[in-house]
Amino acid sequence: MRLNPFKNKLGGEKNKTISFGAGGAVIGAAFLMANSSIGPGFLTQTTVFTQQLLASLGFVILVSILLDIGVQLNTWRVLTMSGLRAQDLSNKLLPGLGYFLSALIVLGGFAFNIGNIAGCGLGLNVLTGVSFQNGAIISCIIALVLFWLKEIGKMLDSFTKVLGIVKISLTLFIAFSAHPPLLEALHRTIWPQKISSIAIVTLVGGTVGGYITFSGAHRLLDAGISGRDQLKKINRSAVTGIIISSVMRYILFLAALGVVMQGVILDSANPPASVFKFAAGEIGLRIFGVVLWSAAISSVLGAGYTSVSFLKTFHPVIAKHERWFISIFIILSTIIFVWIGKPKQLLIAAGAINGLILPVALTVILIAATKTRLMEGYKHPLWMQVAGWAGVFVMGYMGIRVIIDTVHSL
């Protein structure tokens, strides 16, 4: 596997960093991005905010979907048209900028992965009764085995598809069992009673913040999919990823809303579990364990893969021993969770952290899109640039408000 981070441009040499096959990579990249976002934090955040905002969370989800699409299309198109990973594009834009961006992404990915490991522990605790810590350790071992058993790209493509379908199907059953007020939910999705800035920042951060939006784009580059002749596939993959995660978000919102509207007080230590258990009894609780563990383990894989992809072009040793670096990343995440605990707080904080990183990362992408020397003849559409900058300003403003509110609460 020969490192060649600055190729794979229009009309140039295909990316040779890893011999991931292009077959299945288009839909695989969509599921990788979606599954990276549909982690344990996703479940906890959606449930907690449903309890706070009730049917009005539908509007927050709608706003987050629009922001998600703007972020996703901008990021995936700019990276795949340039043929460069985000860190390499940033360094070509301004020497040293790629190292700064990588530090932010890896930091956010690491925070997110601690939450993912926490979710694994919670999921196995519900399914088998083992302690959170032992469940996390067992899941860490499973994740390591998956990375070492077969070629990384093919494993991610197939495994994330299966887990994505499992999560959505089981949660849809719970939503039907909860009997949510559909008309009220749809009404408040368009005309909310209340809006929460921190909810929007957290949901967007949990869906496309930090490392998540780069996961699918880097997967496409690893598969050699780039250039204007691949634009339709790239657009389809980007939008599909958002649709998958948005469908799961709205189904979970409906399930939580159906339970909360019946006057149920959710368990503060594990809010999503309360939703599943009330909707379908003990079977619902076991389903929650399956959904939570599936969500967590797929996010562990996505966070490890994408975070290390931000480092491997900086030195040939990292690219050569990619599996070892991913393994260390996962093991350290597990050690910190076992040491700290407090899974619910970790899951909420991880989404907020990635939401604050998002404006910085997207700003770099949008500036790079205007540089013809980097884009190899590709001209980024004006409407997409406008949508991207709107996302930067909205998320930046809301992120600052979140920081101020947090400081005041302290």
Side-chain angles (χ1 to χ4, degrees), residues 216-394:
H218 281 195
R219 171 69 189 103
L220 291 176
L221 289 173
D222 279 341
I225 299 175
S226 64
R228 283 174 289 185
D229 58 326
Q230 301 288 337
L231 192 54
K232 288 184 178 180
K233 291 182 180 179
I234 292 163
N235 288 340
R236 185 172 71 248
S237 183
V239 174
T240 300
I242 295 297
I243 290 173
I244 294 168
S245 60
S246 299
V247 167
M248 177 65 180
R249 175 88 71 185
Y250 208 83
I251 291 173
L252 180 60
F253 154 64
L254 290 175
L257 183 63
V259 170
V260 171
M261 292 297 283
Q262 295 180 55
V264 176
I265 303 299
L266 303 183
D267 180 5
S268 60
N270 196 347
S274 303
V275 171
F276 281 69
K277 184 175 183 180
F278 182 84
E282 286 300 316
I283 293 177
L285 189 60
R286 301 295 174 239
I287 289 175
F288 169 72
V290 174
V291 170
L292 178 59
W293 188 83
S294 299
I297 197 69
S298 58
S299 292
V300 167
L301 300 176
Y305 162 74
T306 309
S307 296
V308 172
S309 77
F310 269 84
L311 302 175
K312 65 184 180 182
T313 57
F314 293 151
H315 198 284
V317 171
I318 301 176
K320 183 178 180 180
H321 301 288
E322 181 182 16
R323 281 188 172 87
W324 282 109
F325 280 89
I326 293 174
S327 300
I328 292 170
F329 183 88
I330 294 173
I331 291 169
L332 287 178
S333 302
T334 305
I335 291 173
I336 290 179
F337 165 67
V338 171
W339 177 46
I340 294 177
K342 299 182 179 179
K344 178 189 168 186
Q345 291 86 342
L346 285 170
L347 298 176
I348 296 291
I353 289 172
N354 278 291
L356 296 175
I357 293 173
L358 176 58
V360 177
L362 186 55
T363 295
V364 173
I365 293 294
L366 290 170
I367 293 175
T370 64
K371 306 299 180 183
T372 54
R373 63 184 175 86
L374 299 177
M375 299 309 297
E376 296 293 320
Y378 166 74
K379 188 174 182 180
H380 202 47
L382 179 60
W383 72 266
M384 202 170 289
Q385 295 182 53
V386 171
W389 283 113
V392 168
F393 289 124
V394 170

Side-chain angles (χ1 to χ4, degrees), residues 22-315:
V26 173
I27 190 66
F31 270 96
L32 175 61
M33 172 267 148
N35 278 285
S36 293
S37 68
I38 307 173
F42 182 104
L43 303 178
T44 302
Q45 294 154 11
T46 305
T47 306
V48 168
F49 290 130
T50 301
Q51 191 174 21
Q52 294 173 2
L53 302 175
L54 299 179
S56 294
L57 182 66
F59 177 80
V60 171
I61 293 174
L62 178 61
V63 171
S64 69
I65 290 172
L66 296 176
L67 291 171
D68 292 343
I69 291 174
V71 171
Q72 188 94 320
L73 282 175
N74 272 290
T75 303
W76 287 35
R77 283 181 66 146
V78 170
L79 294 183
T80 54
M81 292 304 101
S82 69
L84 298 170
R85 291 183 181 84
Q87 70 272 24
D88 300 323
L89 183 66
S90 301
N91 272 336
K92 282 201 165 188
L93 178 65
L94 179 67
L97 184 59
Y99 298 105
F100 173 71
L101 178 62
S102 294
L104 288 179
I105 297 297
V106 173
L107 174 64
F110 191 69
F112 219 86
N113 212 43
I114 296 171
N116 295 334
I117 289 292
C120 288
L122 286 172
L124 287 187
N125 171 260
V126 172
L127 280 173
T128 67
V130 300
S131 68
F132 296 153
Q133 290 77 9
N134 288 338
I137 293 170
I138 293 169
S139 301
C140 171
I141 294 171
I142 292 174
L144 296 178
V145 169
L146 286 170
F147 268 116
W148 283 90
L149 273 181
K150 61 187 297 186
E151 198 238 0
I152 297 175
K154 292 179 180 178
M155 181 276 291
L156 288 173
D157 289 344
S158 57
F159 195 65
T160 54
K161 289 175 192 174
V162 172
L163 291 185
I165 293 171
V166 167
K167 286 183 285 190
I168 292 175
S169 300
L170 292 177
T171 307
L172 184 61
F173 168 74
I174 295 298
F176 274 114
S177 302
H179 305 293
L182 292 176
L183 292 179
E184 175 71 6
L186 292 173
H187 176 223
R188 295 305 174 192
T189 297
I190 305 300
W191 195 263
Q193 287 182 313
K194 47 188 173 180
I195 302 173
S196 169
S197 296
I198 190 170
I200 294 174
V201 170
T202 303
L203 294 195
V204 174
T207 306
V208 294
Y211 77 92
I212 297 173
T213 194
F214 296 103
S215 59
H218 281 195
R219 171 69 189 103
L220 291 176
L221 289 173
D222 279 341
I225 299 175
S226 64
R228 283 174 289 185
D229 58 326
Q230 301 288 337
L231 192 54
K232 288 184 178 180
K233 291 182 180 179
I234 292 163
N235 288 340
R236 185 172 71 248
S237 183
V239 174
T240 300
I242 295 297
I243 290 173
I244 294 168
S245 60
S246 299
V247 167
M248 177 65 180
R249 175 88 71 185
Y250 208 83
I251 291 173
L252 180 60
F253 154 64
L254 290 175
L257 183 63
V259 170
V260 171
M261 292 297 283
Q262 295 180 55
V264 176
I265 303 299
L266 303 183
D267 180 5
S268 60
N270 196 347
S274 303
V275 171
F276 281 69
K277 184 175 183 180
F278 182 84
E282 286 300 316
I283 293 177
L285 189 60
R286 301 295 174 239
I287 289 175
F288 169 72
V290 174
V291 170
L292 178 59
W293 188 83
S294 299
I297 197 69
S298 58
S299 292
V300 167
L301 300 176
Y305 162 74
T306 309
S307 296
V308 172
S309 77
F310 269 84
L311 302 175
K312 65 184 180 182
T313 57
F314 293 151
H315 198 284

